[in-house]
Amino acid sequence: MPVHLLALAAHRDDVELTCAGTLLKARDAGYSTGIIDLTAGESGTRGSAELRGQEAQRAAELLGVTERLNAGLPDAYLQNTDAARKVVVELIRHFAPRVVILPYPVGRHPDHRIASELGRDACFLAGLARYNAGGSPHRPHKLLYALAYREDPVKPTFVVDISEQFARKMASIRCYASQFDGARNAGEIFPTGQDLYSLVETQNAHYGSLIRTRYGEPFYTDETVRVDDVVALEGQSM
Ligand SMILES: [Zn+2]
């Protein structure tokens, strides 16, 4: 079943941390959404792959996604190989999304970097009629890179206002008790002394402040964003 918006990331919980608000906002607007987790989390320090699977399913229900699938690629050993691309191409073709959210190409965890490149390559290859993988050819219209928690000197191309979705985003993150209860950092999120949930709140409030709203999620696109109505542009300049 095709979805409008698909989020792809290395680990279960990555999507919740970086773009759950945007997935919820799309769902609220009547669009269908989906998630691909590339790995099952078998190499994680906390919890087990089985437990993380149950947590991910509960989070997916809260996010209202049409389907959440796992690529079963090796956690902490993710590689952008022919074999891995074939697996991801088949999943992209399955979801046939118009827009795909990928991890930002720079990351502390090597899986995050590889997931970005592997996801982008698979989105391209999925459109090749003669690429040797299952499913019908489909190339997504647009790729968005989730920029949350990155400190690299790139300005977000845009920030999505998730003020109305923020409480539900936090509920989806709280599904991962095995990962986050008592935690003070995770993935790309560095510790500040706060517990992780309050740290996520601080970060999302910061992104929101960039567009003069309570909470936001930042994204980057390679291509320039087209605007048709400059008079309606939000975000006070002075
Ligand atoms: Zn991760």
Side-chain angles (χ1 to χ4, degrees):
M1 182 186 312
V3 297
H4 296 103
L5 177 63
L6 174 71
L8 177 153
H11 313 114
R12 290 161 164 162
D13 72 32
D14 286 353
V15 160
E16 281 78 6
L17 290 169
T18 59
C19 62
T22 301
L23 286 176
L24 281 162
K25 188 161 184 153
R27 192 74 197 90
D28 289 350
Y31 292 118
S32 55
T33 57
I35 296 174
I36 296 174
D37 302 305
L38 293 179
T39 72
E42 69 278 7
S43 301
T45 308
R46 295 157 157 258
S48 64
E50 190 192 356
L51 180 55
R52 292 181 77 171
Q54 293 163 4
E55 293 173 334
Q57 217 38 56
R58 278 186 29 236
E61 283 162 25
L62 290 186
L63 296 177
V65 299
T66 303
E67 199 172 10
R68 177 175 209 150
L69 294 178
N70 197 284
L73 296 171
D75 182 20
Y77 298 90
L78 201 56
Q79 293 293 329
N80 184 6
T81 61
D82 283 342
R85 285 195 289 269
K86 185 163 187 266
V87 170
V88 182
V89 163
E90 289 183 3
L91 288 171
I92 299 281
R93 287 177 172 179
H94 170 80
F95 280 105
R98 175 170 169 82
V99 177
V100 178
I101 299 174
L102 296 172
Y104 190 62
V106 180
R108 189 162 73 108
H109 194 310
D111 282 358
H112 294 172
R113 291 199 307 271
I114 300 295
S116 183
E117 184 186 277
L118 172 58
R120 184 202 60 204
D121 290 354
C123 284
F124 183 86
L125 295 172
L128 294 180
R130 293 187 171 172
Y131 184 77
N132 187 22
S136 305
H138 174 85
R139 182 168 298 150
H141 172 70
K142 198 159 197 69
L143 304 183
L144 311 178
Y145 295 96
L147 200 54
Y149 317 111
R150 297 303 316 159
E151 297 175 24
D152 319 277
V154 296
K155 211 171 157 69
T157 307
F158 61 89
V159 173
V160 176
D161 174 13
I162 60 157
S163 303
E164 280 182 27
Q165 289 76 27
F166 182 72
R168 285 177 284 153
K169 169 179 178 162
M170 287 309 297
S172 76
I173 292 173
R174 286 179 186 279
C175 288
Y176 295 91
S178 78
Q179 302 304 301
F180 302 141
D181 275 6
R184 292 182 184 278
N185 64 293
E188 309 293 324
I189 312 175
F190 285 88
T192 62
Q194 295 164 276
D195 73 76
L196 185 103
Y197 302 117
S198 117
L199 185 46
V200 169
E201 202 259 345
T202 300
Q203 293 263 1
N204 282 255
H206 167 68
Y207 306 130
S209 77
L210 300 179
I211 54 165
R212 327 305 178 216
T213 65
R214 189 71 186 87
Y215 296 110
E217 285 176 341
F219 293 90
Y220 175 82
T221 61
D222 283 327
E223 66 280 8
T224 300
V225 168
R226 165 179 151 177
V227 170
D228 291 315
D229 185 353
V230 294
V231 178
L233 279 173
E234 299 283 359
Q236 189 180 338
S237 294
M238 60 181 71

